[in-house]
Amino acid sequence: MVIVHTHWYQIPLWLVLVSNILMFAGIMGRIVPSTILISAMPEMKDRGAFMSINSSLQQMAGGIASIIAGYIVIQETPTSILRNIDIVGFVVAGITLISIYVVYRVYNLVKGQLPPPRTKTVAPEKKPEPVLVAE
């Protein structure tokens, strides 16, 4: 969706809105499962600190990405069109592919850390003890 979004030249506003809705729905659809996956990595006592650091790193990554995109996209005059937006789309797509690989590695790491699934065990039947009756 990012590549499609960054390759449009002039489109109507309603199409921009639909595109943004689809793109951000896709982003949120990836964030929730990945947050669940990475929150399984630290032990329970360290999870709060881990999530705090993770949130800080996400904010820093967003800022750095904006700076890099600002160096890629150019505008020659205040009234000219923005150039190289398509390059930003390809960079984002490439980083997304790298992220898929990294999440796959994290998934395998978490899968190896988690305890095996609990199975329901059935207790063996106890034979009734003989009752002694006094005569």
Side-chain angles (χ1 to χ4, degrees):
M1 194 64 206
V2 172
I3 292 177
V4 170
H5 193 76
T6 56
H7 280 79
W8 282 334
Y9 180 65
Q10 287 183 341
I11 57 171
L13 178 62
W14 69 268
L15 195 53
V16 172
L17 295 175
V18 170
S19 169
N20 278 333
I21 290 169
L22 291 175
M23 188 168 59
F24 282 100
I27 289 169
M28 296 311 290
R30 290 191 318 254
I31 287 176
V32 172
S34 65
T35 302
I36 292 169
L37 182 65
I38 65 168
S39 69
M41 289 190 65
E43 293 182 27
M44 185 65 79
K45 63 183 177 74
D46 298 329
R47 194 162 293 164
F50 176 82
M51 295 305 286
S52 177
I53 292 170
N54 181 51
S55 177
S56 297
L57 289 173
Q58 285 178 356
Q59 296 296 320
M60 285 176 30
I64 292 169
S66 297
I67 291 170
I68 292 171
Y71 282 119
I72 294 172
V73 175
I74 57 172
Q75 186 177 22
E76 285 129 9
T77 65
T79 58
S80 64
I81 64 170
L82 298 176
R83 300 201 183 274
N84 298 337
I85 293 178
D86 55 339
I87 295 172
V88 172
F90 288 127
V91 169
V92 169
I95 291 174
T96 300
L97 291 175
I98 293 168
S99 298
I100 290 170
Y101 174 72
V102 170
V103 168
Y104 174 74
R105 301 267 323 253
V106 169
Y107 170 75
N108 285 333
L109 179 69
V110 169
K111 190 169 66 170
Q113 268 186 350
L114 296 177
R118 292 169 47 189
T119 58
K120 188 174 182 180
T121 57
V122 178
E125 275 189 41
K126 292 184 178 180
K127 294 182 183 177
E129 295 183 21
V131 177
L132 298 174
V133 179
E135 290 187 30

